[in-house]
Amino acid sequence: MDTKGRRGNGLGENPETTAQSKKKKGIMIEGYPVEGLSIGGQETCVIFPTLKIAFDIGRCPQRAISQEFLFISHGHMDHIGGLPMYVATRGLYKMRPPTIIVPTAIKENVERLFEVHRAMDQSELKHNLISLNVGEEFQLRKDLKVKAFKTYHAIPSQITYTVTSPEIAFTGDTMSDFIIDPSNIDVLRSKILVMESTFVDNSMTVDNARDYGHTHLSEIVSYADKFENQAILLIHFSARYQADEIQSAVSSLRPPLAGRVFALTEGF
């Protein structure tokens, strides 16, 4: 990012000021606004702005820039592609260097990614990079602790689980196996669970979903009694769907899921 002679986003605007001038987007869950985009294979970034945290960075949507803590679930491009831009833009606006949590399995590659961009961009790209193995915890601030849980995907990944008020669990991309893994019981008891449901209808089977390391809505229904969460936010829907198709599938859910399942459909 060439910062010479530039101010703000090229228009002299700070991202927080710009965001305030735009129409508010997102949904409210358990008293917390949730924003972002999550389209399977394209980009995923789920933001809890009042907590200053984002899960995955997608292509780095503008409102992600003001989040101080970023949790990366795995190394697929649609979840991590905007990482250098996120750090560079915070530096451009003289914001505090962000804290980024990544799975230990990809830390070395992430460090190399930043080195390449430093060489090309001639910028410092200041940040705090923390890696976690499954089961490890890290205290980010007094009211925010993160713990890594195991997921099952096509490449190494892990759940990032934040212990705040409320407790939030994020699964990234994962097959439904994580639901029956006894080590993940805390994830299924968290106040808010953010998980994928890439496919929501019969045009794709459960086997189709598993071939790509993903979860089908019918599996969530099958395991309905496992979820003790107060709210479940479904993300990462296939781009084959329209927003009304997704909302129809979610609204048709029966107890014990009915009324506590939400869908992030911005961008559809």
Side-chain angles (χ1 to χ4, degrees), residues 48-89:
F48 286 77
T50 58
L51 298 174
K52 292 294 184 182
I53 64 177
F55 294 102
D56 288 340
I57 193 60
R59 300 173 185 172
C60 189
Q62 184 175 10
R63 53 197 179 281
I65 294 167
S66 56
Q67 312 314 311
E68 297 178 0
F69 300 98
L70 173 63
F71 308 108
I72 297 294
S73 63
H74 64 294
H76 272 156
M77 194 67 69
D78 54 323
H79 294 256
I80 200 172
L83 183 57
M85 180 62 74
Y86 163 70
V87 175
T89 306

Side-chain angles (χ1 to χ4, degrees), residues 7-261:
R7 291 180 53 213
N9 59 7
L11 301 175
E13 296 175 333
N14 180 285
E16 294 192 58
T17 303
T18 303
Q20 290 172 2
S21 67
K22 293 183 177 180
K23 182 180 178 181
K24 291 287 186 179
K25 297 181 179 180
I27 53 180
M28 189 71 68
I29 299 178
E30 293 297 312
Y32 284 79
V34 185
E35 303 176 1
L37 295 161
S38 187
I39 304 171
Q42 295 186 17
E43 60 180 316
T44 287
C45 180
V46 182
I47 303 165
F48 286 77
T50 58
L51 298 174
K52 292 294 184 182
I53 64 177
F55 294 102
D56 288 340
I57 193 60
R59 300 173 185 172
C60 189
Q62 184 175 10
R63 53 197 179 281
I65 294 167
S66 56
Q67 312 314 311
E68 297 178 0
F69 300 98
L70 173 63
F71 308 108
I72 297 294
S73 63
H74 64 294
H76 272 156
M77 194 67 69
D78 54 323
H79 294 256
I80 200 172
L83 183 57
M85 180 62 74
Y86 163 70
V87 175
T89 306
R90 285 188 62 88
L92 179 64
Y93 293 118
K94 303 188 185 306
M95 294 177 171
R96 181 184 309 172
T99 296
I100 304 165
I101 306 294
V102 301
T104 298
I106 69 171
K107 183 184 181 184
E108 186 175 335
N109 285 331
V110 171
E111 290 174 333
R112 286 205 293 262
L113 175 67
F114 278 116
E115 287 303 318
V116 168
H117 280 278
R118 285 189 181 103
M120 292 190 297
D121 191 56
Q122 297 294 301
S123 59
E124 294 183 273
L125 298 177
K126 291 183 179 180
H127 64 279
N128 303 310
L129 185 65
I130 307 295
S131 66
L132 291 180
N133 273 316
V134 172
E136 291 184 334
E137 298 181 356
F138 187 80
Q139 193 78 40
L140 291 154
R141 65 187 185 210
K142 190 174 182 179
D143 65 334
L144 182 62
K145 179 173 66 175
V146 62
K147 183 175 182 178
F149 285 83
K150 185 177 181 179
T151 59
Y152 301 81
H153 191 40
I155 62 173
S157 62
Q158 62 195 36
I159 290 170
T160 54
Y161 172 57
T162 65
V163 183
T164 65
S165 181
E167 297 175 348
I168 303 169
F170 175 78
T171 71
D173 289 357
T174 180
M175 291 186 288
S176 61
D177 301 59
F178 89 92
I179 300 171
I180 57 176
D181 186 331
S183 68
N184 287 340
I185 188 64
D186 287 346
V187 173
L188 301 175
R189 290 174 175 170
S190 63
K191 187 171 186 179
I192 300 174
L193 171 62
V194 183
M195 67 173 292
E196 73 149 281
S197 180
T198 303
F199 304 112
V200 301
D201 64 12
N202 294 330
S203 66
M204 295 292 281
T205 67
V206 170
D207 287 339
N208 293 146
R210 295 182 70 83
D211 285 343
Y212 293 97
H214 294 310
T215 298
H216 194 289
L217 181 61
S218 64
E219 295 182 276
I220 297 173
V221 173
S222 297
Y223 292 121
D225 62 330
K226 298 283 188 183
F227 298 98
E228 299 180 30
N229 319 91
Q230 293 183 31
I232 301 171
L233 175 62
L234 300 183
I235 63 169
H236 200 267
F237 302 105
S238 170
R240 71 180 58 228
Y241 299 117
Q242 299 293 322
D244 59 348
E245 294 176 301
I246 297 169
Q247 293 294 353
S248 177
V250 170
S251 63
S252 67
L253 294 173
R254 299 190 172 191
L257 296 173
R260 60 189 178 107
V261 178

